[in-house]
Amino acid sequence: VATACVAFMEMLGYDTTKMRIHIQTASLIYQHWQSQLISHIEIRKQQEQRLAKEVSQALLSCVRNKNPDDRTFAAQVLAQLEDAIHWQLEKQRVKLTSLEAGERWMLALMFCQCYDLPLSLAFLVECATQDDWLTFVLFSEMHNYPPHQLLGILPLLPSAHIREHLQYVITCTTSLTEAKGNKGSPMKSRDIRAQLYSKIGLQKKYK
């Protein structure tokens, strides 16, 4: 039914991005909650119906919220979605700091963008605690995480040297970005991302 609704809306020329994000979010959260049911089959059916209703109501609360400054409902759904993604990765035995795992977390990031929430830090926290600093840097750069979010989780990195180095890079990048946006600054236009790569020992290849 959901697929048919999406197809019909696209045939009418509507952008179905948000609809598909909500459908995928609801499906994954429901699967996660459903996996925790251990009751008898007859009782289980009733519980599954209740779960489906709870998931749909949670998402409807986000959609129907008329106060753009109140993101309580969206934040609650995001927390449930993060738990569901983590559960799915462990269930499928996907390495939690792999690029494949990063792709799975895209759904959470898109949900955040739908409701103007701060970008989910769940994947970056996992990378930091596992000392996978390279994936941490690549993922944060790929999705343009705000510097203040990155600085807040740098203490999770086990290596003090890596922490200090990344803090320096993020701070310098922020300063350069601000200087670039200052019209009165004589600083020439620079490739901030290329500077980041060079500071961490990588070379950006240009065609």
Side-chain angles (χ1 to χ4, degrees), residues 53-66:
K53 185 176 181 179
E54 290 179 359
V55 172
S56 61
Q57 287 178 341
L59 285 168
L60 284 173
S61 297
C62 297
V63 175
R64 292 172 177 172
N65 182 25
K66 301 301 182 182

Side-chain angles (χ1 to χ4, degrees), residues 150-169:
L150 300 178
L151 292 173
I153 58 177
L154 282 185
L156 297 175
L157 285 161
S159 171
H161 296 293
I162 295 296
R163 285 200 307 269
E164 293 175 1
H165 197 61
L166 289 181
Q167 183 175 4
Y168 172 76
V169 170

